[in-house]
Amino acid sequence: MVKKSNYDITRDKMEQEFVRYDQKQMIEKFHLEHTPDHLFIRLTGEMFRVDRHSGKVELCQPGGAVHAGFNESMTIFDVLCCSKPHCRLSGEYAVVTSLPGIANIAAPGTGTYPETACVFAHNPNALRLACQRLRGAEQEGGDVSYRIPLFDFLPVVVQFWDADDEFDAALKIMWDKNTLDFMHFETTFYAAGYLLRRLVEAGSGGNPAARE
């Protein structure tokens, strides 16, 4: 028997907690598709379903549903269960360390992603294609800039500057200034981790297209 990781154990505990929350409120707040057995929610262009009886989060795929991992599950749980009652977008964007109430509590450089930037160094077209595959809309700024629907109701902006003779490639994620009305600060790191993984997969020729 394969031993579960601490991440999987934490995810599974949250599945048990999920069923205690008001699902009717979730459906109304985020206009979720639903059946008697599942709630449906799209994350980075992929459709997930949450079992209304067990709390299990699954990625919907043509060949069948697959148990979702830690980052995507925890992001979905936090938004559905813990977002503020009247969360609304501001339309203004900032790095995560500049969100209201966050200044000075995160390490310098938080919100930039050098490892992912290196993946796309000298190949900005791969990132551009990846953003388009994740249903992104092109924006101004940087060598590549796209507004991507993290959730259908919560976009983020990915900005990228390519490497040159003096500077390494740089990539950052910009968040709506009201993001912390939708999720906790810690959850932005789970969400960013999953988004970056999706971008790398999409840019490397995987199958990143949204599953309907």
Side-chain angles (χ1 to χ4, degrees):
M1 181 176 179
V2 178
K3 184 178 179 180
K4 284 189 175 182
S5 70
N6 289 335
Y7 291 107
D8 287 345
I9 291 171
T10 300
R11 176 202 61 192
D12 294 352
K13 285 181 178 178
M14 189 57 212
E15 290 177 352
Q16 297 171 24
E17 291 293 321
F18 175 82
V19 297
R20 302 180 184 181
Y21 287 84
D22 186 341
Q23 296 179 19
K24 182 175 183 292
Q25 185 179 78
M26 299 173 192
I27 292 168
E28 293 175 351
K29 183 192 294 186
F30 297 117
H31 309 288
L32 302 180
E33 297 178 30
H34 59 282
T35 67
D37 293 324
H38 294 98
L39 304 180
F40 295 89
I41 188 167
R42 200 184 305 273
L43 175 65
T44 67
E46 295 181 304
M47 186 63 77
F48 290 82
R49 69 183 190 186
V50 186
D51 190 296
R52 301 184 68 171
H53 312 290
S54 70
K56 184 177 182 179
V57 180
E58 296 177 304
L59 171 63
C60 302
Q61 296 182 320
V66 177
H67 201 177
F70 176 84
N71 282 345
E72 53 271 39
S73 293
M74 298 303 287
T75 301
I76 290 171
F77 286 141
D78 197 24
V79 168
L80 292 183
C81 300
C82 301
S83 54
K84 293 183 179 179
H86 302 291
C87 48
R88 297 288 185 275
L89 298 176
S90 72
E92 299 179 44
Y93 293 87
V95 293
V96 70
T97 50
S98 296
L99 296 178
I102 297 303
N104 301 322
I105 72 170
T110 301
T112 60
Y113 303 93
E115 292 184 3
T116 305
C118 286
V119 172
F120 295 105
H122 307 299
N123 193 10
N125 284 336
L127 178 59
R128 190 172 289 110
L129 177 60
C131 291
Q132 292 169 358
R133 287 177 167 176
L134 269 59
R135 303 183 176 187
E138 192 167 12
Q139 307 291 294
E140 295 182 357
D143 294 313
V144 178
S145 184
Y146 277 80
R147 186 178 67 248
I148 295 173
L150 182 68
F151 292 98
D152 290 348
F153 48 83
L154 179 60
V156 297
V157 174
V158 173
Q159 294 182 329
F160 173 78
W161 291 263
D162 204 358
D164 59 25
D165 293 338
E166 298 183 15
F167 298 99
D168 294 332
L171 184 148
K172 65 181 179 180
I173 298 174
M174 304 286 284
W175 302 83
D176 187 274
K177 286 190 174 181
N178 288 347
T179 292
L180 300 187
D181 289 351
F182 291 83
M183 65 178 73
H184 290 93
F185 175 65
E186 295 81 0
T187 305
T188 64
F189 295 92
Y190 307 149
Y194 190 65
L195 172 61
L196 294 171
R197 189 185 107 187
R198 290 271 290 143
L199 286 171
V200 170
E201 291 174 351
S204 64
N207 183 22
R211 280 81 165 180
E212 300 293 344

